[in-house]
Every structure is written in structure tokens, then in C-alpha cells.
Amino acid sequence: KITKVTPDPMTPGDKITIKGENFGTKECFHGVSIGSMGPGRATVAFQHVNETTVEATVPDLKPGLFPLNVVTSGGSSQAIVLIQAK
């Protein structure tokens, strides 16, 4: 479960912190993506810090509201984030 994403709003290239619950171990954490399913979805470079914190870099996306997805072996969680122009 995602509880907070900072900073929000964000711009492409920003390093963001995703706080949550039950992200699991590094081995159980599968990834972070921003955007809806399909061709508009961007995979995000991330670092698993611990079971409540993940750091990621915002990809080069157009400004707008996007779903941010966190995927673990136990399931996935989503938060809506605002990406602004650089």
C-alpha cells in the first residue's frame, strides 16, 4: 500500500520518495511504473530502501496526472501523481 509520494507535484528527472506499507524485501519487490497500462506506461528506475520506502526517478513524461504503480510479490498498489513541465 502506498501512503505518500514526495515531492508532489514532481517534474521529470526528480528523485521521489514513495512511502508505504508491506513493500516486502528487496527480492520480493518487482518494480515501479508511471502511467496507465500499454504503450504510455513508463518503467521507472528505482531503489528499494526498506519495506516502507522506495526511491525512484521520474521519467520524461508530458505534464499531467498519472497513476504511479508499485508492484511486489504480494500484489500492487497505485497512487495518482501530478507531473509538471520541467
Side-chain angles (χ1 to χ4, degrees):
K1 174 178 157 184
I2 297 171
T3 56
K4 187 173 185 176
V5 180
T6 53
D8 187 14
M10 57 194 68
T11 58
D14 280 356
K15 184 169 218 170
I16 60 172
T17 302
I18 305 163
K19 293 282 194 181
E21 301 170 2
N22 303 317
F23 287 163
T25 63
K26 192 173 190 174
E27 295 74 31
C28 293
F29 194 86
H30 296 296
V32 176
S33 65
I34 296 178
S36 54
M37 297 296 245
R41 186 176 197 160
T43 302
V44 177
F46 70 91
Q47 178 180 355
H48 179 275
V49 178
N50 56 42
E51 72 171 36
T52 61
T53 306
V54 173
E55 293 175 344
T57 303
V58 179
D60 194 15
L61 293 169
K62 293 179 184 173
L65 287 170
F66 292 90
L68 180 142
N69 302 286
V70 169
V71 181
T72 70
S73 59
S76 64
S77 182
Q78 186 178 86
I80 301 300
V81 296
L82 174 59
I83 297 179
Q84 296 181 324
K86 285 185 180 182

